[in-house]
Amino acid sequence: MPEQTTQDWTRRAARLRPRTEAVIAGKPVPAADRRTFDTVNPATGEVLAAVAACGPAEADAAVAAARAAFDGTGWAQDAQLRKRVLLAVADAIEEHAAELALLESLDMGKPVREALAVDVPGSAATFRWYAEAIDKCCGEVVPTGPGDHAWVDRLPVGVVAAVVPWNYPLEIASWKLAPALAAGNTAVLKPAEQSPLSALLLAELAAHAGMPDGVLNVLPGLGPEAGRALGEHRDVDCVAFTGSTEVGRRFLAYSAESNGKPVWLEMGGKSPNIVFADADLDAAADKACFGAFYNAGQVCSSNSRLLVHRSVQDELVQRIVRHAARYRPGNPLDPDCGIGAMVSAEHADRVLGYLAEGRRTAETACGGRGLTVDGRGSFIEPTVFTGADNGMRIAREEIFGPVLTVIGFDTEEEAVELAADSRYALAASVWTGDLARAHRVASRLRVGTVSVNTVDALSVLAPFGGFGDSGFGRDLSLHAIEKFTGLRTTWLKY
């Protein structure tokens, strides 16, 4: 599409009419008691829409619709139908890219430029990749003795509840839905209450793409009501969750108290970014800013702990401060803005509490304040704290804002120990010009992804997830299909 200006996006936003009702069995459905909740543009404080506040009654209806579709539409049995429909969903996402990007930007404050260039095409690519994988995943033959023949099939688990966060509403929904649907399951998607609008449009696009009624249902609502109802539901066969560690643990409890369903958790992070003295310091500084400040730091795998060899610490910090200037907060509809808003005023206040803690316990190299843009909204300056140690709250707790904490080290062994000294184990980065050191250090980091001479390396081809308090689920790659299936052995004696 032609390049859009701030004025173009502002005019588009004024014309936007978001979908606000749940989607159950292919139809828009209000909450039974007509309750709604407001979704707010955090860059302006303006209410975007009053969205259906679903609860247990709507969860029952959505799960029943998903079960009926699983049992009665042929979706689970017809691989070619699934492939054809998921490819059409990918096309539809691309055709409605501008509207989806605008909804993402308005709903959670991210720059529309990034949503249009990264989130929306990434979501379409995920649906397309899993669609193409459908007819390339086959069963196994067991090597038995004479007179026996045994084989193993992967069966869809049934009804999947996908509970997704607000920081990448459409993209993480695609990470859950595409492999679950490709495997033959049906789904109920619970978007975060801060960012439900793109999910509701996605359901409409899926219906137009030919998805049978009930295969994809979307249940907006508050976590303690809609989310809990799905977690406790005895007819939900699997939960796929991305969000905070605290809420993820609740879903384990919901499962234990109901039907013992598998719960795949991808949770928080406090990822270390290790820079050795022989690294390309300008490249490391550039990517350190990207890893800490992109999406206003609202990224579970954010490289928010910078571990740097003391011999180059001062020089690297100076370079980081220069690069950080590119991430100045601005109007998310301005294609030139550095970063957008925090997702809500409440979340901004939480991050500001950490900034106050950092100013008391460490040194501030840049940033450290909250801002408004044009007198409105909830924004945070990119912030770098130095003089920190790994015992400080700013080094141990997930801030989920544009905050980088710098910690020095003297030896490789110390760097590895500092990196490992965390309850989280989602990702890590290593910067060095020594290939042997890169292999040596990466092999000692017990995290889900190690990025060498870059940060946050990610592809649909490779699994994403972690260990410890970062959870144990894996999104992306063919491994994601596996978690939405169960194994059936058939043994034939002849």
Side-chain angles (χ1 to χ4, degrees):
M1 62 180 294
E3 186 172 343
Q4 303 287 294
T5 66
T6 307
Q7 292 73 27
D8 292 332
W9 286 114
T10 302
R11 285 191 291 268
R12 278 179 175 266
R15 296 194 301 266
L16 202 61
R17 297 295 179 266
R19 288 75 176 162
T20 60
E21 296 181 322
V23 179
I24 299 175
K27 300 176 178 61
V29 177
D33 54 8
R34 300 287 169 171
R35 284 195 309 139
T36 62
F37 64 94
D38 289 340
T39 182
V40 176
N41 181 347
T44 65
E46 297 171 342
V47 173
L48 294 168
V51 178
C54 297
E58 294 75 35
D60 285 345
V63 173
R67 177 63 62 193
F70 182 75
D71 292 337
T73 64
W75 180 259
Q77 294 77 33
D78 193 339
Q80 291 308 307
L81 169 64
R82 299 199 301 274
K83 181 175 182 177
R84 184 170 63 251
V85 170
L86 293 186
L87 287 172
V89 170
D91 291 342
I93 290 172
E94 290 175 339
E95 290 164 8
H96 292 80
E99 184 176 2
L100 286 164
L102 186 56
L103 288 172
E104 298 283 89
S105 179
L106 295 174
D107 223 4
M108 63 81 51
K110 69 170 57 194
V112 70
R113 175 195 72 248
E114 293 170 2
L116 187 63
V118 180
D119 300 30
V120 176
S123 301
T126 299
F127 272 98
R128 185 167 288 115
W129 193 85
Y130 281 105
E132 292 290 357
I134 288 172
D135 54 12
K136 300 170 184 67
C137 296
C138 304
E140 308 166 25
V141 175
V142 179
T144 57
D148 294 288
H149 181 62
W151 63 95
V152 180
D153 298 308
R154 284 198 173 273
L155 305 182
V157 296
V159 176
V160 173
V163 182
V164 300
W166 45 257
N167 57 336
Y168 290 94
L170 182 66
E171 193 160 27
I172 295 182
S174 75
W175 290 9
K176 312 295 187 189
L177 294 175
L181 297 175
N185 300 285
T186 56
V188 181
L189 172 64
K190 161 62 176 74
E193 51 262 40
Q194 297 89 343
S195 57
L197 300 182
S198 61
L200 296 172
L201 176 55
L202 177 63
E204 181 179 306
L205 297 179
H208 290 160
M211 190 168 286
D213 291 347
V215 169
L216 173 58
N217 308 273
V218 178
L219 194 73
L222 306 182
E225 298 171 4
R228 179 172 183 171
L230 291 175
E232 293 180 337
H233 207 291
R234 298 187 67 83
D235 209 27
V236 169
D237 297 298
C238 172
V239 172
F241 170 86
T242 294
S244 71
T245 301
E246 175 189 2
V247 176
R249 287 173 174 160
R250 291 180 196 167
F251 275 92
L252 290 175
Y254 298 154
S255 172
E257 293 163 2
S258 56
N259 60 346
K261 64 179 73 65
V263 178
W264 299 105
L265 301 177
E266 196 279 291
M267 303 188 292
K270 192 71 178 176
S271 299
N273 184 6
I274 307 170
V275 180
F276 289 96
D278 61 352
D280 179 335
L281 293 186
D282 202 56
D286 180 25
K287 288 296 187 179
C289 289
F290 178 85
F293 304 145
Y294 184 79
N295 207 39
Q298 298 170 128
V299 182
C300 58
S301 55
S302 170
N303 284 229
S304 54
R305 279 192 300 154
L306 180 65
L307 312 180
V308 55
H309 195 275
R310 285 193 173 88
S311 67
V312 294
Q313 181 173 343
D314 290 345
E315 182 182 355
L316 182 62
V317 169
Q318 290 171 8
R319 291 173 186 249
I320 286 172
V321 170
R322 289 198 297 271
H323 283 288
R326 302 201 315 270
Y327 293 86
R328 179 77 178 174
N331 177 359
L333 300 185
D334 180 354
D336 294 324
C337 85
I339 56 174
M342 309 308 291
V343 72
S344 67
E346 293 76 13
H347 183 59
D349 286 343
R350 177 181 176 275
V351 175
L352 287 172
Y354 280 104
L355 295 186
E357 173 85 7
R359 289 194 299 270
R360 287 194 300 270
T361 58
E363 301 169 11
T364 306
C366 69
R369 299 178 303 161
L371 298 174
T372 60
V373 172
D374 299 327
R376 302 186 296 177
S378 301
F379 299 82
I380 301 286
E381 287 182 316
T383 299
V384 177
F385 289 123
T386 61
D389 66 63
N390 216 39
M392 295 178 179
R393 286 184 63 215
I394 58 171
R396 302 201 68 79
E397 298 180 13
E398 185 176 38
I399 298 173
F400 227 61
V403 183
L404 180 63
T405 300
V406 181
I407 301 168
F409 67 83
D410 291 310
T411 66
E412 181 180 306
E413 184 67 24
E414 183 185 5
V416 171
E417 290 176 357
L418 286 169
D421 183 17
S422 173
R423 54 190 277 236
Y424 298 109
L426 183 55
S429 294
V430 178
W431 291 83
T432 178
D434 183 336
L435 183 60
R437 172 184 281 147
H439 280 286
R440 190 167 59 243
V441 173
S443 71
R444 297 184 62 191
L445 297 176
R446 186 176 177 271
V447 298
T449 301
V450 181
S451 303
V452 178
N453 292 336
T454 187
V455 297
D456 224 5
L458 184 74
S459 167
V460 71
L461 302 172
F464 176 84
F467 301 95
D469 277 7
S470 294
F472 47 81
R474 290 296 184 272
D475 289 317
L476 305 177
S477 81
L478 292 178
H479 295 288
I481 292 181
E482 295 172 5
K483 73 184 183 186
F484 295 119
T485 62
L487 299 176
R488 177 182 62 194
T489 299
T490 303
W491 195 295
L492 174 65
K493 185 172 283 290
Y494 55 90

